[in-house]
Amino acid sequence: MQHEAELLDCLIVGGGAAGLTSAVYLGRYKRKALILDAGGSRLQRIPRTRNVPGFPEGVEGPELLARMREHAARYGVATERVTVQRIERLPDGTFRAEAEARSWRARFVILATGACDVEPEIEGIQAATRAGQVRYCPVCDGYETQGQRVAVLGRAGHGVRESLFVANFGNQVTWLAMATQHEVPLTELAQLRDAGVRIAESPPHRIECGVDGVGVRVELQNGQVLAFDTLYPALGLHHACELATALGAQAADNGQLRVDAHQQTSVDGLYVAGDVAVDLNQIAVAAGHAAIAATAIHNRL
Ligand SMILES: Cc1cc2nc3c(=O)[nH]c(=O)nc-3n(C[C@H](O)[C@H](O)[C@H](O)COP(=O)(O)OP(=O)(O)OC[C@H]3O[C@@H](n4cnc5c(N)ncnc54)[C@H](O)[C@@H]3O)c2cc1C
């Protein structure tokens, strides 16, 4: 294993919106920081975001990511393209991160490893996501669905909440309930009805995107075929929190890490920022977390 020559002020694990913003702050505080990044930021999957402050015309996710990388590099924070396998606490209180037979040591860690959407099995899903026919975040882009036929794919609970949220945008929403509508309390069924949400009569059998000029084509098990402009899968999210929980950090049942007002976990010196730490998965939130965590660390160094 490569010997850690230098004790860094802070290791940033994850080089997406949160990690790169942390890097800008720490670089501008003249701290020795390094990003270790596996290269899978959710920013790369955004066709065009329209709710990031300062971009009234919107900006494509990959372009925003490139700009953020340039911004971090401008202040001297480099990125290593590796997947961190383990972080441990050494007896002297510092942290050591390991990846691919290499290791790095730092006084503080910001974990900014993000989250992954649970994806449904749909033919053509990657191209449909790029085209904005399959969307994952109505907070981000519900506005763009005005006047459209929208399907929400999800089980009782999450599926109902997302259908009601999406129905606020002046569209026609159908909930693809995956045979769970019978689990929904009457009060929620009434809410769906009041919001004009239709419930598909039978579970989806096959979903295809971009076939025969139809955005999203859903064939139900009863043979009925429905066409939509947009589909929101609402199947959940996995918070990439394992590196922190292995260190003893406390997390809720859904993997969301518990933090204090400075984004510090229950492990002293281990901070988290961005999607890994929150359900409101937003670039602005990731940037806010990063500013808070980086400044708290700077003030402790
Ligand atoms: C289709 C889509 C559209 C969206 N649209 C919008 C929008 O319009 N507006 C908005 O505000 N938000 C939007 N979002 C959400 C936004 O992308 C996220 O909130 C944001 O990227 C979170 O930043 P993050 O740094 O926490 O995570 P990410 O940007 O996902 O970065 C996490 C990084 O950590 C890396 N990583 C994970 N594990 C390890 C490891 N063990 N070692 C090293 N690196 C690791 C990953 O590879 C990745 O590079 C959208 C998301 C999707 C999927």
Side-chain angles (χ1 to χ4, degrees), residues 13-19 36-43 45-46 49 51 82-84 112-114 117 140 243 274-275 281-283 286:
V13 183
L36 304 176
D37 181 41
S41 169
R42 290 173 87 214
L43 292 178
R45 302 178 59 210
I46 308 178
T49 169
N51 66 357
V82 291
T83 301
V84 174
T113 40
D117 302 284
C140 310
L243 290 170
D275 286 1
N281 298 157
Q282 290 291 282
I283 297 161

Side-chain angles (χ1 to χ4, degrees), residues 130-294:
R130 283 194 296 277
Q133 291 164 337
V134 173
R135 299 176 181 270
Y136 286 89
C137 173
V139 172
C140 310
D141 48 30
Y143 186 92
E144 272 64 50
T145 69
Q146 292 175 77
Q148 292 189 352
R149 297 161 303 171
V150 182
V152 172
L153 176 70
R155 296 180 183 82
H158 190 177
V160 171
R161 286 194 300 278
E162 190 123 325
S163 296
L164 290 172
F165 188 89
V166 174
N168 273 317
F169 292 98
N171 41 29
Q172 175 54 64
V173 176
T174 301
W175 176 32
L176 304 173
M178 305 169 82
T180 63
Q181 63 267 44
H182 307 297
E183 300 167 20
V184 177
L186 288 177
T187 49
E188 288 185 16
L189 287 175
Q191 282 179 295
L192 289 168
R193 198 179 47 241
D194 292 349
V197 175
R198 296 178 188 156
I199 303 177
E201 284 167 19
S202 89
H205 167 61
R206 185 180 170 82
I207 304 179
E208 295 170 307
C209 298
V211 177
D212 297 335
V214 177
V216 181
R217 182 183 179 279
V218 180
E219 189 185 327
L220 303 180
Q221 284 179 12
N222 66 4
Q224 193 183 358
V225 175
L226 306 175
F228 299 100
D229 303 297
T230 299
L231 170 79
Y232 281 100
L235 301 173
L237 197 73
H238 172 74
H239 297 273
C241 64
E242 291 80 4
L243 290 170
T245 50
L247 271 169
Q250 291 170 5
D253 290 344
N254 68 357
Q256 205 176 308
L257 290 160
R258 297 195 200 286
V259 292
D260 67 13
H262 297 244
Q263 292 300 125
Q264 185 174 225
T265 65
S266 54
V267 175
D268 185 32
L270 176 66
Y271 290 71
V272 289
D275 286 1
V276 68
V278 73
D279 268 343
L280 185 57
N281 298 157
Q282 290 291 282
I283 297 161
V285 174
H289 282 174
I292 291 168

